[in-house]
Amino acid sequence: NLSPRSAALVFEKKEIYISIDELNTITEKGVNQAITDIANLGRTSGIGMLWATQNYSKVLEDVRINTEFLFCMQYDNTNEINTICNNYDAKNYVKEEIKQLSKEIPHECFVFPSSRLITYDLSSGEKEYIDEPIKIQLTPPLSKHSITGGMNI
């Protein structure tokens, strides 16, 4: 147990990220207040939250409101797509394009920014500021970790 003063010294000028897979499953187990507090108050303390879910509409509203960048892979559920697009004021064409994202192109997704997103053209090095949903391909991890038995992760 650290005193508040000791904790402030230990964590001073450090960024902490809490990563939660299947966020809506966690909140269904009764930890809503803790998750809401992190979403609402974490940024001022240098605490960020990375989360994943297959059911965006079930994510707590405070978490959705405080999500700065939402990455959306290929999705077939029209209700979920509509909720995402409505939350980020996306144009109608984005709804159909989400359904058409390729499973053959690794890491292809849409990013929905709630603030300005900076993108870089890898060929020219040009920087562009984006404030609306954009289709991108994420850069995969550069390492080739594997589990015993040769399965790549």
Side-chain angles (χ1 to χ4, degrees), residues 118-134:
I118 302 171
T119 63
Y120 296 90
D121 184 304
L122 295 179
S123 301
S124 67
E126 288 186 40
K127 180 166 56 170
E128 184 178 0
Y129 297 95
I130 307 291
D131 61 359
E132 62 184 4
I134 182 174

Side-chain angles (χ1 to χ4, degrees), residues 45-108:
S45 301
I47 301 171
M49 184 165 52
L50 307 168
W51 56 271
T53 187
Q54 294 181 33
N55 299 293
Y56 177 79
S57 62
K58 293 182 179 178
V59 172
L60 299 169
E61 185 176 1
D62 282 343
V63 173
R64 293 191 316 211
I65 289 169
N66 285 291
T67 297
E68 192 169 2
F69 301 107
L70 178 75
F71 293 84
C72 178
M73 307 307 251
Q74 193 270 344
Y75 223 153
D76 291 323
N77 185 316
T78 303
N79 291 334
E80 293 291 323
I81 292 170
N82 287 338
T83 302
I84 291 167
C85 289
N86 290 341
N87 283 184
Y88 286 89
D89 297 322
K91 296 184 171 99
N92 283 329
Y93 77 88
V94 174
K95 295 175 184 179
E96 281 308 310
E97 286 200 28
I98 289 172
K99 292 179 184 178
Q100 302 304 318
L101 287 170
S102 176
K103 291 184 179 179
E104 281 87 45
I105 299 174
H107 313 309
E108 184 178 47

Side-chain angles (χ1 to χ4, degrees), residues 10-26:
V10 169
F11 295 111
E12 183 179 32
K13 297 183 182 177
K14 292 194 170 84
E15 292 181 0
I16 298 170
Y17 288 93
I18 297 171
S19 180
I20 304 171
D21 192 14
E22 294 302 338
L23 178 63
N24 63 297
T25 304
I26 303 276

